[in-house]
Amino acid sequence: MQKSILVTGGYGFIGSHTVVELAKAGYRPVIVDNFSNSELWIVDRINKLAGKQITLYEGDYQDKSLLEKIFKAQKIAGVIHFAAYKAVGESVEQPLKYYDNNVSGFVDLLDFLTKKAVNNFVFSSSAAVYGEPPATLVTEETACRPTSPYGWSKYMDEIILKNTCTATKHLKGVALRYFNVVGAHPEAKIGELPKGKPQNLLPIVVQACAKKIPPLTIFGDDYQTPDGTCQRDYVHVVDLARAHVSALDYALHQRKGLFEIYNIGTGKPTSVLELIKTFEKINNIKVPYKIGARRPGDPAAYYAEAKKAKKHLNWQSELTIENACADAWRWQKTLN
Protein backbone atom coordinates (compact mmCIF):
# COMPACT_ATOMS: atom_id res chain seq x y z
CA MET A 1 0.00 0.00 0.00
CA GLN A 2 1.35 3.44 -0.93
CA LYS A 3 2.34 5.62 2.01
CA SER A 4 0.81 9.10 1.97
CA ILE A 5 3.36 11.87 2.57
CA LEU A 6 2.29 15.42 3.41
CA VAL A 7 4.47 17.95 1.56
CA THR A 8 4.14 21.53 2.78
CA GLY A 9 5.06 24.03 0.08
CA GLY A 10 4.92 21.24 -2.46
CA TYR A 11 4.47 23.53 -5.45
CA GLY A 12 7.56 25.63 -4.79
CA PHE A 13 10.86 25.19 -6.62
CA ILE A 14 12.34 22.37 -4.54
CA GLY A 15 9.00 21.04 -3.32
CA SER A 16 7.62 20.49 -6.83
CA HIS A 17 10.65 18.47 -7.92
CA THR A 18 10.48 16.44 -4.72
CA VAL A 19 6.81 15.65 -5.26
CA VAL A 20 7.65 14.25 -8.70
CA GLU A 21 10.44 12.09 -7.26
CA LEU A 22 8.21 10.91 -4.40
CA ALA A 23 5.57 9.75 -6.87
CA LYS A 24 8.22 7.97 -8.96
CA ALA A 25 9.47 6.22 -5.82
CA GLY A 26 6.00 4.82 -5.09
CA TYR A 27 4.81 7.30 -2.46
CA ARG A 28 1.54 9.19 -2.56
CA PRO A 29 2.27 12.91 -2.11
CA VAL A 30 -0.36 15.10 -0.48
CA ILE A 31 0.39 18.80 -0.95
CA VAL A 32 -0.57 21.83 1.12
CA ASP A 33 0.50 25.09 -0.51
CA ASN A 34 -0.76 28.68 -0.51
CA PHE A 35 0.98 29.47 -3.84
CA SER A 36 2.84 32.43 -2.37
CA ASN A 37 5.92 31.27 -4.25
CA SER A 38 4.41 29.35 -7.16
CA GLU A 39 1.66 29.45 -9.77
CA LEU A 40 -1.52 27.41 -10.20
CA TRP A 41 -0.56 26.35 -13.73
CA ILE A 42 2.29 24.30 -12.23
CA VAL A 43 -0.30 21.85 -10.86
CA ASP A 44 -1.10 20.16 -14.18
CA ARG A 45 2.57 19.96 -15.09
CA ILE A 46 3.47 18.17 -11.88
CA ASN A 47 0.60 15.74 -12.39
CA LYS A 48 1.93 14.90 -15.86
CA LEU A 49 5.50 14.45 -14.66
CA ALA A 50 4.33 12.33 -11.73
CA GLY A 51 2.06 10.25 -13.93
CA LYS A 52 -0.85 10.65 -11.52
CA GLN A 53 -3.22 13.19 -10.01
CA ILE A 54 -1.54 14.65 -6.93
CA THR A 55 -3.83 15.50 -4.03
CA LEU A 56 -3.78 19.26 -3.36
CA TYR A 57 -5.07 21.27 -0.42
CA GLU A 58 -4.74 24.96 -1.21
CA GLY A 59 -3.99 27.04 1.87
CA ASP A 60 -1.45 27.93 4.52
CA TYR A 61 0.38 25.23 6.44
CA GLN A 62 -0.31 27.24 9.62
CA ASP A 63 -4.07 26.85 9.17
CA LYS A 64 -4.94 24.25 11.81
CA SER A 65 -8.48 23.75 10.51
CA LEU A 66 -7.01 22.90 7.11
CA LEU A 67 -4.54 20.46 8.70
CA GLU A 68 -7.41 18.82 10.60
CA LYS A 69 -9.28 18.44 7.33
CA ILE A 70 -6.24 16.83 5.69
CA PHE A 71 -5.62 14.40 8.53
CA LYS A 72 -9.28 13.45 8.67
CA ALA A 73 -9.24 12.54 4.97
CA GLN A 74 -5.70 11.15 4.65
CA LYS A 75 -3.60 8.62 6.53
CA ILE A 76 -0.33 10.53 6.69
CA ALA A 77 2.80 8.43 7.27
CA GLY A 78 5.32 11.26 7.11
CA VAL A 79 5.89 14.93 6.39
CA ILE A 80 8.40 16.80 4.24
CA HIS A 81 8.38 20.45 5.28
CA PHE A 82 9.35 23.08 2.70
CA ALA A 83 6.93 25.91 3.46
CA ALA A 84 9.14 28.82 4.54
CA TYR A 85 10.23 32.26 3.48
CA LYS A 86 13.73 32.07 2.03
CA ALA A 87 15.10 35.45 0.87
CA VAL A 88 18.14 36.34 2.97
CA GLY A 89 17.99 40.07 2.21
CA GLU A 90 14.28 40.30 2.94
CA SER A 91 14.81 38.47 6.23
CA VAL A 92 17.19 41.24 7.33
CA GLU A 93 14.60 43.87 6.45
CA GLN A 94 11.60 41.97 7.87
CA PRO A 95 12.91 39.63 10.60
CA LEU A 96 9.55 39.25 12.38
CA LYS A 97 7.92 38.03 9.18
CA TYR A 98 10.55 35.27 8.99
CA TYR A 99 10.44 34.29 12.64
CA ASP A 100 6.64 34.18 12.57
CA ASN A 101 6.35 31.94 9.50
CA ASN A 102 9.56 29.95 9.70
CA VAL A 103 9.81 29.45 13.47
CA SER A 104 6.46 30.10 15.15
CA GLY A 105 4.64 28.28 12.35
CA PHE A 106 7.15 25.44 12.57
CA VAL A 107 6.49 25.04 16.31
CA ASP A 108 2.74 24.90 15.73
CA LEU A 109 3.17 22.35 12.95
CA LEU A 110 5.34 20.06 15.10
CA ASP A 111 2.89 20.39 17.97
CA PHE A 112 0.06 19.35 15.67
CA LEU A 113 2.02 16.43 14.21
CA THR A 114 3.09 15.05 17.58
CA LYS A 115 -0.54 15.04 18.71
CA LYS A 116 -1.40 13.11 15.55
CA ALA A 117 1.50 10.69 16.29
CA VAL A 118 3.21 11.30 12.94
CA ASN A 119 6.55 9.54 13.24
CA ASN A 120 8.59 10.71 10.24
CA PHE A 121 9.63 14.28 9.49
CA VAL A 122 12.07 15.55 6.85
CA PHE A 123 13.02 19.20 7.24
CA SER A 124 14.21 21.54 4.52
CA SER A 125 17.13 23.30 6.19
CA SER A 126 19.95 25.26 4.61
CA ALA A 127 23.70 25.78 4.54
CA ALA A 128 22.81 29.33 5.65
CA VAL A 129 22.97 27.94 9.21
CA TYR A 130 26.79 27.94 8.85
CA GLY A 131 26.98 31.67 8.12
CA GLU A 132 30.55 32.41 7.10
CA PRO A 133 32.32 29.07 7.62
CA PRO A 134 35.87 29.21 9.02
CA ALA A 135 37.08 26.54 6.55
CA THR A 136 36.37 25.88 2.88
CA LEU A 137 35.22 22.29 3.47
CA VAL A 138 32.02 22.36 5.51
CA THR A 139 31.02 19.26 7.48
CA GLU A 140 27.98 18.68 9.65
CA GLU A 141 30.26 19.36 12.63
CA THR A 142 31.20 22.85 11.40
CA ALA A 143 30.04 25.46 13.92
CA CYS A 144 26.74 27.15 13.06
CA ARG A 145 26.97 30.93 13.09
CA PRO A 146 24.08 32.26 10.99
CA THR A 147 24.44 35.80 9.67
CA SER A 148 20.78 36.52 8.78
CA PRO A 149 17.35 36.04 10.33
CA TYR A 150 16.68 33.49 7.57
CA GLY A 151 19.72 31.45 8.61
CA TRP A 152 18.80 31.78 12.27
CA SER A 153 15.23 30.65 11.57
CA LYS A 154 16.51 27.44 9.97
CA TYR A 155 18.98 26.80 12.79
CA MET A 156 16.30 27.40 15.43
CA ASP A 157 14.02 24.94 13.65
CA GLU A 158 16.75 22.31 13.68
CA ILE A 159 17.16 22.72 17.44
CA ILE A 160 13.40 22.60 17.98
CA LEU A 161 13.12 19.45 15.87
CA LYS A 162 15.99 17.77 17.70
CA ASN A 163 14.49 18.58 21.11
CA THR A 164 11.06 17.38 20.00
CA CYS A 165 12.43 14.08 18.69
CA THR A 166 14.13 13.52 22.06
CA ALA A 167 11.08 14.48 24.09
CA THR A 168 8.34 12.69 22.17
CA LYS A 169 10.31 9.44 21.76
CA HIS A 170 8.29 8.46 18.65
CA LEU A 171 9.20 11.28 16.24
CA LYS A 172 12.08 10.70 13.81
CA GLY A 173 13.56 13.84 12.27
CA VAL A 174 16.00 14.38 9.41
CA ALA A 175 17.26 17.87 8.54
CA LEU A 176 18.87 18.45 5.16
CA ARG A 177 21.29 21.36 4.94
CA TYR A 178 21.55 22.06 1.27
CA PHE A 179 23.95 24.32 -0.46
CA ASN A 180 23.26 26.35 -3.65
CA VAL A 181 20.32 24.80 -5.48
CA VAL A 182 20.36 25.14 -9.28
CA GLY A 183 18.82 23.81 -12.47
CA ALA A 184 15.32 22.72 -13.38
CA HIS A 185 13.55 19.55 -14.41
CA PRO A 186 15.19 18.25 -17.62
CA GLU A 187 11.80 18.10 -19.37
CA ALA A 188 11.42 21.86 -18.75
CA LYS A 189 7.93 21.52 -17.31
CA ILE A 190 8.85 22.82 -13.84
CA GLY A 191 11.63 25.00 -12.50
CA GLU A 192 12.36 28.04 -10.41
CA LEU A 193 9.92 30.96 -10.58
CA PRO A 194 11.67 33.84 -8.81
CA LYS A 195 9.15 36.45 -7.72
CA GLY A 196 10.84 39.81 -7.79
CA LYS A 197 14.59 40.14 -8.22
CA PRO A 198 16.36 36.75 -8.19
CA GLN A 199 18.75 36.25 -5.28
CA ASN A 200 21.00 33.42 -6.46
CA LEU A 201 23.70 33.29 -9.13
CA LEU A 202 22.29 30.94 -11.76
CA PRO A 203 18.79 32.51 -11.81
CA ILE A 204 20.51 35.91 -12.14
CA VAL A 205 22.58 34.61 -15.07
CA VAL A 206 19.46 33.16 -16.70
CA GLN A 207 17.39 36.31 -16.32
CA ALA A 208 20.25 38.55 -17.44
CA CYS A 209 20.54 36.46 -20.62
CA ALA A 210 16.77 36.67 -21.07
CA LYS A 211 17.11 40.47 -20.72
CA LYS A 212 14.67 40.53 -17.83
CA ILE A 213 17.23 42.20 -15.55
CA PRO A 214 20.38 44.29 -16.19
CA PRO A 215 23.79 42.63 -16.69
CA LEU A 216 24.94 40.84 -13.55
CA THR A 217 27.78 42.03 -11.35
CA ILE A 218 30.52 39.70 -10.20
CA PHE A 219 31.41 40.91 -6.73
CA GLY A 220 35.19 40.71 -6.70
CA ASP A 221 37.73 38.93 -8.88
CA ASP A 222 40.71 39.13 -6.52
CA TYR A 223 39.96 36.30 -4.09
CA GLN A 224 42.48 33.56 -3.34
CA THR A 225 40.82 31.15 -5.76
CA PRO A 226 42.01 29.80 -9.14
CA ASP A 227 40.26 32.55 -11.16
CA GLY A 228 39.84 35.15 -8.41
CA THR A 229 36.06 34.75 -8.04
CA CYS A 230 34.19 33.14 -5.17
CA GLN A 231 33.63 29.40 -5.17
CA ARG A 232 30.44 27.70 -4.00
CA ASP A 233 28.83 24.26 -4.09
CA TYR A 234 25.97 24.03 -6.63
CA VAL A 235 23.63 21.04 -6.34
CA HIS A 236 21.07 20.22 -9.03
CA VAL A 237 17.46 20.49 -7.86
CA VAL A 238 16.63 16.97 -9.14
CA ASP A 239 19.50 15.52 -7.11
CA LEU A 240 18.23 17.48 -4.11
CA ALA A 241 14.70 16.17 -4.63
CA ARG A 242 16.02 12.62 -4.62
CA ALA A 243 17.88 13.38 -1.39
CA HIS A 244 14.54 14.13 0.28
CA VAL A 245 13.15 10.80 -0.88
CA SER A 246 16.26 9.04 0.43
CA ALA A 247 15.91 10.87 3.76
CA LEU A 248 12.27 9.78 4.04
CA ASP A 249 13.18 6.17 3.19
CA TYR A 250 15.85 6.31 5.89
CA ALA A 251 13.56 7.77 8.55
CA LEU A 252 10.86 5.19 7.91
CA HIS A 253 13.26 2.38 8.78
CA GLN A 254 15.03 3.90 11.79
CA ARG A 255 14.52 3.76 15.52
CA LYS A 256 12.10 6.15 17.16
CA GLY A 257 13.57 9.35 18.56
CA LEU A 258 16.15 9.61 15.77
CA PHE A 259 17.43 13.04 14.76
CA GLU A 260 20.09 13.46 12.08
CA ILE A 261 21.53 16.33 10.03
CA TYR A 262 22.97 15.91 6.54
CA ASN A 263 24.80 18.23 4.18
CA ILE A 264 23.43 17.97 0.66
CA GLY A 265 25.89 19.16 -1.96
CA THR A 266 28.25 17.95 -4.64
CA GLY A 267 31.42 18.25 -2.58
CA LYS A 268 32.96 20.20 -5.48
CA PRO A 269 33.53 23.98 -5.56
CA THR A 270 32.55 25.92 -8.67
CA SER A 271 33.58 29.54 -9.12
CA VAL A 272 31.33 32.36 -10.31
CA LEU A 273 33.31 32.72 -13.53
CA GLU A 274 33.39 28.97 -14.03
CA LEU A 275 29.60 28.80 -13.83
CA ILE A 276 29.24 31.72 -16.24
CA LYS A 277 31.67 30.23 -18.77
CA THR A 278 29.95 26.86 -18.51
CA PHE A 279 26.57 28.49 -19.12
CA GLU A 280 27.94 30.28 -22.18
CA LYS A 281 29.48 27.11 -23.63
CA ILE A 282 26.53 24.80 -22.98
CA ASN A 283 23.89 27.20 -24.26
CA ASN A 284 25.92 29.01 -26.93
CA ILE A 285 25.02 32.40 -25.52
CA LYS A 286 26.96 35.35 -24.14
CA VAL A 287 26.33 36.20 -20.50
CA PRO A 288 26.30 39.97 -19.89
CA TYR A 289 28.33 40.76 -16.77
CA LYS A 290 30.72 43.24 -15.22
CA ILE A 291 33.25 43.02 -12.42
CA GLY A 292 32.42 44.97 -9.28
CA ALA A 293 33.85 45.42 -5.81
CA ARG A 294 33.72 42.68 -3.21
CA ARG A 295 30.63 42.42 -1.03
CA PRO A 296 31.22 42.53 2.71
CA GLY A 297 31.01 39.09 4.31
CA ASP A 298 31.45 36.97 1.17
CA PRO A 299 33.81 34.07 1.98
CA ALA A 300 36.26 33.25 -0.81
CA ALA A 301 35.17 29.61 -0.97
CA TYR A 302 33.17 26.96 0.80
CA TYR A 303 31.60 23.68 -0.22
CA ALA A 304 29.92 20.66 1.33
CA GLU A 305 31.36 17.47 2.60
CA ALA A 306 28.49 15.09 1.85
CA LYS A 307 30.05 11.77 2.92
CA LYS A 308 27.55 11.31 5.72
CA ALA A 309 24.60 11.47 3.29
CA LYS A 310 26.28 8.89 1.08
CA LYS A 311 26.92 6.57 4.02
CA HIS A 312 23.53 6.80 5.75
CA LEU A 313 21.12 7.81 2.99
CA ASN A 314 22.83 6.08 0.08
CA TRP A 315 22.66 9.43 -1.71
CA GLN A 316 25.18 11.38 -3.71
CA SER A 317 24.90 14.00 -6.42
CA GLU A 318 24.83 12.66 -9.97
CA LEU A 319 24.02 15.70 -12.11
CA THR A 320 26.64 18.27 -13.07
CA ILE A 321 26.90 22.03 -13.33
CA GLU A 322 26.62 21.49 -17.12
CA ASN A 323 23.28 19.74 -16.57
CA ALA A 324 22.11 22.59 -14.35
CA CYS A 325 23.06 25.30 -16.85
CA ALA A 326 21.34 23.48 -19.73
CA ASP A 327 18.20 22.68 -17.75
CA ALA A 328 17.85 26.18 -16.28
CA TRP A 329 18.08 27.85 -19.71
CA ARG A 330 15.74 25.31 -21.30
CA TRP A 331 13.20 26.08 -18.56
CA GLN A 332 13.61 29.86 -18.98
CA LYS A 333 12.93 29.64 -22.72
CA THR A 334 9.51 28.10 -21.98
CA LEU A 335 8.68 31.22 -19.96
CA ASN A 336 9.63 33.81 -22.58
Side-chain angles (χ1 to χ4, degrees):
M1 182 178 177
Q2 288 187 323
K3 287 183 169 63
S4 295
I5 307 300
L6 179 65
V7 185
T8 69
Y11 285 113
F13 176 41
I14 302 169
S16 61
H17 288 80
T18 301
V19 165
V20 171
E21 295 303 320
L22 279 170
K24 286 183 179 179
Y27 291 102
R28 182 176 174 271
V30 176
I31 298 176
V32 58
D33 199 306
N34 63 6
F35 291 91
S36 64
N37 199 36
S38 188
E39 302 290 347
L40 275 168
W41 52 264
I42 289 292
V43 172
D44 287 339
R45 295 185 174 207
I46 291 178
N47 290 340
K48 288 177 182 177
L49 286 171
K52 63 178 71 175
Q53 191 81 14
I54 304 297
T55 302
L56 164 65
Y57 292 86
E58 186 175 353
D60 198 298
Y61 88 97
Q62 296 189 66
D63 183 344
K64 288 187 178 179
S65 62
L66 177 59
L67 291 179
E68 287 287 359
K69 178 182 177 182
I70 294 170
F71 273 75
K72 187 175 181 180
Q74 312 289 336
K75 186 178 180 181
I76 301 297
V79 175
I80 302 180
H81 180 53
F82 291 107
Y85 296 135
K86 63 175 185 176
V88 171
E90 183 185 58
S91 78
V92 175
E93 297 168 358
Q94 302 181 57
L96 294 181
K97 173 182 177 180
Y98 277 68
Y99 290 129
D100 176 54
N101 185 74
N102 293 11
V103 181
S104 179
F106 182 82
V107 169
D108 289 344
L109 176 64
L110 273 188
D111 181 56
F112 180 88
L113 296 176
T114 55
K115 289 174 180 175
K116 297 296 184 183
V118 172
N119 292 339
N120 305 287
F121 191 93
V122 178
F123 173 55
S124 166
S125 190
S126 168
V129 302
Y130 296 117
E132 299 171 17
T136 56
L137 183 62
V138 180
T139 76
E140 289 86 354
E141 303 305 315
T142 298
C144 292
R145 300 188 180 97
T147 56
S148 68
Y150 167 72
W152 276 110
S153 73
K154 291 294 187 178
Y155 188 42
M156 290 176 187
D157 287 348
E158 287 185 3
I159 295 169
I160 292 164
L161 179 57
K162 178 180 180 180
N163 294 159
T164 306
C165 289
T166 300
T168 62
K169 300 295 190 282
H170 68 80
L171 183 65
K172 295 171 281 184
V174 178
L176 303 183
R177 292 174 176 170
Y178 26 91
F179 284 63
N180 297 269
V181 187
V182 290
H185 196 279
E187 292 186 31
K189 286 185 168 55
I190 56 174
E192 189 165 9
L193 289 169
K195 294 196 173 182
K197 185 179 179 181
Q199 302 292 315
N200 301 315
L201 178 59
L202 187 53
I204 292 173
V205 168
V206 167
Q207 293 210 13
C209 287
K211 304 188 186 308
K212 294 183 179 293
I213 60 173
L216 68 100
T217 299
I218 296 176
F219 296 106
D221 63 350
D222 57 351
Y223 287 93
Q224 293 298 309
T225 59
D227 62 19
T229 63
C230 291
Q231 293 178 313
R232 297 292 184 265
D233 191 332
Y234 298 95
V235 58
H236 197 291
V237 65
V238 173
D239 275 339
L240 177 57
R242 292 168 181 160
H244 288 83
V245 178
S246 295
L248 180 65
D249 289 342
Y250 178 74
L252 285 165
H253 296 93
Q254 296 302 309
R255 59 177 173 78
K256 294 179 179 180
L258 166 94
F259 174 75
E260 292 286 354
I261 292 168
Y262 297 95
N263 282 343
I264 302 297
T266 65
K268 300 173 185 176
T270 300
S271 76
V272 174
L273 268 178
E274 189 179 352
L275 185 146
I276 288 172
K277 298 303 179 185
T278 300
F279 190 91
E280 291 181 329
K281 180 180 178 181
I282 291 293
N283 297 307
N284 193 28
I285 190 171
K286 184 68 178 173
V287 176
Y289 70 88
K290 60 183 179 179
I291 304 295
R294 290 188 184 191
R295 286 186 303 193
D298 270 350
Y302 66 88
Y303 58 99
E305 181 180 83
K307 292 180 181 178
K308 185 180 176 184
K310 183 177 180 180
K311 180 180 179 181
H312 291 185
L313 307 182
N314 194 30
W315 176 91
Q316 62 182 346
S317 64
E318 298 176 359
L319 300 170
T320 65
I321 196 68
E322 288 83 2
N323 294 132
C325 288
D327 293 339
W329 186 237
R330 190 182 301 113
W331 163 245
Q332 176 61 44
K333 287 191 289 187
T334 71
L335 304 176
N336 290 339

